[in-house]
């Protein structure tokens, strides 16, 4: 995956949405952030994929319902498991549907955001993606991950491979909190450790689980009973 954006460099963003007003609103807000700049816009999925491959933005914001090629298909082309150098994709949609969330995250997206989440969360999702992290709308995070365990989709029926080596006790604690939707800062506060320590644990966990991002770590935790459905 593309390396995290260097400190001090603006985060370069591509916006893909078939509604002019949505693209204008996103651009207006994101360009007003001191650390973010919009470098490309697209009104359909095919154009979004072509532009993304041309300009290599740090983060792609993709709507789901777009003409010519929908956002889920575009996500797979830009960030899917078969892509040699996957980009960071955050799916932004009006529709809070489980099928969309599954399709986005299984297609390689590192974030899923509802359009009504507000501009602040939009900027946070862009920054998280650029840093190699993930952000999923709080309203869908735990519901989604519980559903992975309770009603797995056909494509997800096979249980993921066990870790290449056992997780340490502290790594297991971090994984459990990730599965509950906690941010790195919240995990650090709850475990009384530094933010850098949390990031070190997450890097180790990703290697052991062969997980591409924290969403896959969280899904693994739910599928392996590391978090109870009533948590």
């Amino acid at each position: 995956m593309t390396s995290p954006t260097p400190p001090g460099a603006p985060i370069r963003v591509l916006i893909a949405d078939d509604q002019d007003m949505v693209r204008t609103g996103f651009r207006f807000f994101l360009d007003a952030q001191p650390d973010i700049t919009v470098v490309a816009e697209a009104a359909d999925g095919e154009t979004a994929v072509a532009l993304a491959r041309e300009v290599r933005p740090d983060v792609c914001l993709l709507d789901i319902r777009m003409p010519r090629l929908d956002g889920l298909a575009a996500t797979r082309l830009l960030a899917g498991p078969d892509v040699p150098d996957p980009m960071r994709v955050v799916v932004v949609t009006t529709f809070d549907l489980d099928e969309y969330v599954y399709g986005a995250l299984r297609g390689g997206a590192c974030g899923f955001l509802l359009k009504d989440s507000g501009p602040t969360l939009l900027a946070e999702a862009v920054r998280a993606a650029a840093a190699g992290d993930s952000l999923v709308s709080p309203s869908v995070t735990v519901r989604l991950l519980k559903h992975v365990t309770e009603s797995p989709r056909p494509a997800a029926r096979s249980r993921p491979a066990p870790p290449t080596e056992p997780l340490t006790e502290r790594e297991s604690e971090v994984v459990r909190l990730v599965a509950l939707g906690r941010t790195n800062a919240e995990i650090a506060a709850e475990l009384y450790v530094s933010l850098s320590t949390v990031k070190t644990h997450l890097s180790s966990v990703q290697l052991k689980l062969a997980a591409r991002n924290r969403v896959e770590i969280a899904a693994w935790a739910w599928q392996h009973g590391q978090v109870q459905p009533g948590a």
Side-chain angles (χ1 to χ4, degrees):
M1 180 173 283
T2 304
S3 301
T5 306
I11 301 168
R12 302 166 64 253
V13 177
L14 175 148
I15 301 171
D17 195 292
D18 61 340
Q19 298 183 48
D20 291 341
M21 289 185 63
V22 171
R23 295 198 310 275
T24 299
F26 283 4
R27 174 186 279 275
F28 178 81
F29 176 77
L30 293 176
D31 273 342
Q33 306 303 305
D35 57 338
I36 300 174
T37 182
V38 177
V39 296
E41 291 185 29
D44 64 80
E46 284 189 4
T47 303
V49 171
L51 278 174
R53 289 171 173 170
E54 178 184 348
V55 304
R56 299 293 302 184
D58 300 308
V59 179
C60 301
L61 294 177
L62 303 183
D63 186 23
I64 288 182
R65 295 188 176 180
M66 293 188 291
R68 300 176 68 190
L69 189 72
D70 67 42
L72 299 182
T75 296
R76 289 193 296 272
L77 290 173
L78 296 176
D82 298 327
V83 178
D85 187 14
M87 299 185 198
R88 294 185 176 89
V89 173
V90 175
V91 170
V92 187
T93 181
T94 305
F95 306 98
D96 180 10
L97 301 177
D98 283 348
E99 291 293 343
Y100 286 167
V101 183
Y102 274 100
L105 299 181
R106 294 194 183 284
C110 65
F112 186 95
L113 204 62
L114 299 178
K115 288 180 181 178
D116 62 4
S117 296
T120 300
L121 204 58
L122 175 67
E124 289 181 8
V126 168
R127 293 185 181 108
D133 209 338
S134 303
L135 188 150
V136 180
S137 282
S139 62
V140 301
T141 302
V142 174
R143 188 197 76 220
L144 161 71
L145 295 171
K146 286 182 181 179
H147 199 58
V148 169
T149 301
E150 296 166 357
S151 304
R153 296 289 187 255
R157 281 175 184 159
S158 59
R159 293 176 69 83
T164 55
E165 60 180 283
L167 301 181
T168 66
E169 182 177 349
R170 182 47 60 95
E171 286 171 350
S172 294
E173 291 176 335
V174 170
V175 166
R176 181 181 63 81
L177 293 173
V178 167
L180 292 174
R182 305 288 197 274
T183 65
N184 286 357
E186 289 169 339
I187 294 172
E190 188 159 339
L191 298 182
Y192 300 100
V193 298
S194 68
L195 193 58
S196 62
T197 297
V198 173
K199 292 179 178 179
T200 297
H201 286 315
L202 283 174
S203 295
S204 176
V205 167
Q206 279 187 249
L207 288 174
K208 291 181 178 181
L209 301 183
R212 290 180 297 171
N213 51 52
R214 72 193 295 118
V215 176
E216 291 187 358
I217 291 173
W220 180 91
W222 283 99
Q223 290 174 319
H224 282 77
Q226 301 296 307
V227 186
Q228 297 304 313

